Amino acid sequence: MAQSLVLLHGWGLNAAVWESIKPQLEHAIPGSIDVHALDLPGFGDAQWKDELTDADAVADYLADYIRTRTPTGQAAVLGWSMGGLLATTLALRHPQCVTGLYTVASSPCFVSRPGDGWPGMDPTVLKAFQAQLRDDFKTTLKRFLAVQAMGAPSARNDIKQLQALLLKKPLPVPEALQAGLNWLEKIDLRDKLSQLNMPFYRAYGRLDSLVPVAVASQITSGDCEIFASSAHAPFLNQPEDFIDWITATM
């Protein structure tokens, strides 16, 4: 029976970000990987629900999907950026559902913590995005997409590609965007990573300006892969290497 793999996108985007690698993943090991690319609540085609402003509630929502929509009720889960934060929350709350955890350009704590030397986003930058979101969410969304591509050799092309993928589905609802920024600002899972009891794989882009590669050495749990020519989206910058990384571990 094929192993199920659930893909979770990042903030502001939708499941279309995986459309270029999903078929390749499914054919990399024919009959062995059943890939599910999900829209998170309030993004793409997925309906928003007010009770899902809490990340734990989203983890419960994802666990229910895995239990009811995969043949064995279990799946490996790969989360990109904010999706990695939610994938980790899911793995901690519902370990029986998760056979393997993959986080890509993600962090258990997205904002920097100067007090203990933790690298990450400047909290004031995130606060600025939250304020801008209330005034003009479409412009804020475009700005954040640009931040995600910064540092990549193909940054201009990446921005265009991300914007095109965003428009393939309905735009995210402002409530979902605000909830996501709140998670990025407040969630800190660093002390809980040692509780993970499934295989844990982490990937980073060496050129990433959003999740600095310095995060990689701060975490002792899990196996680490660094994509040397990638920024925040290794699956766009180094798609073949990215697919090889996943298939080698499943």
Side-chain angles (χ1 to χ4, degrees), residues 45-130:
D45 296 319
Q47 184 178 2
W48 172 250
K49 298 179 181 179
D50 288 338
E51 61 267 28
L52 296 179
T53 55
D54 183 84
D56 287 347
V58 176
D60 296 345
Y61 166 93
L62 295 170
D64 184 64
Y65 176 93
I66 291 172
R67 292 191 190 104
T68 59
R69 301 289 294 276
T70 63
T72 63
Q74 295 180 308
V77 181
L78 183 151
W80 170 51
S81 195
M82 183 190 77
L85 195 63
L86 293 173
T88 305
T89 304
L90 166 65
L92 289 166
R93 282 180 66 82
H94 300 278
Q96 70 281 7
C97 291
V98 181
T99 58
L101 172 64
Y102 295 77
T103 63
V104 179
S106 190
S107 175
C109 178
F110 270 77
V111 297
S112 62
R113 296 286 196 267
D116 56 19
W118 180 260
M121 295 179 65
D122 185 333
T124 60
V125 172
L126 203 54
K127 287 286 189 185
F129 271 110
Q130 289 173 323

Side-chain angles (χ1 to χ4, degrees), residues 73-198:
Q74 295 180 308
V77 181
L78 183 151
W80 170 51
S81 195
M82 183 190 77
L85 195 63
L86 293 173
T88 305
T89 304
L90 166 65
L92 289 166
R93 282 180 66 82
H94 300 278
Q96 70 281 7
C97 291
V98 181
T99 58
L101 172 64
Y102 295 77
T103 63
V104 179
S106 190
S107 175
C109 178
F110 270 77
V111 297
S112 62
R113 296 286 196 267
D116 56 19
W118 180 260
M121 295 179 65
D122 185 333
T124 60
V125 172
L126 203 54
K127 287 286 189 185
F129 271 110
Q130 289 173 323
Q132 293 164 12
L133 186 66
R134 289 188 287 270
D135 297 330
D136 185 348
F137 89 92
K138 291 183 180 179
T139 300
T140 304
L141 195 54
K142 290 181 179 179
R143 287 175 180 166
F144 201 82
L145 293 185
V147 170
Q148 293 185 48
M150 283 175 58
S154 55
R156 282 189 180 180
N157 184 63
D158 289 355
I159 292 170
K160 290 180 181 178
Q161 192 171 354
L162 288 171
Q163 289 177 343
L165 292 170
L166 171 66
L167 296 176
K168 288 204 167 192
K169 294 194 173 195
L171 289 177
V173 300
E175 293 86 352
L177 291 171
Q178 186 62 61
L181 288 182
N182 289 341
W183 301 333
L184 294 176
E185 178 191 13
K186 297 176 182 178
I187 294 178
D188 185 351
L189 300 177
R190 290 177 293 171
D191 293 339
K192 296 183 179 180
L193 295 182
S194 61
Q195 300 173 21
L196 294 170
N197 62 3
M198 70 288 294

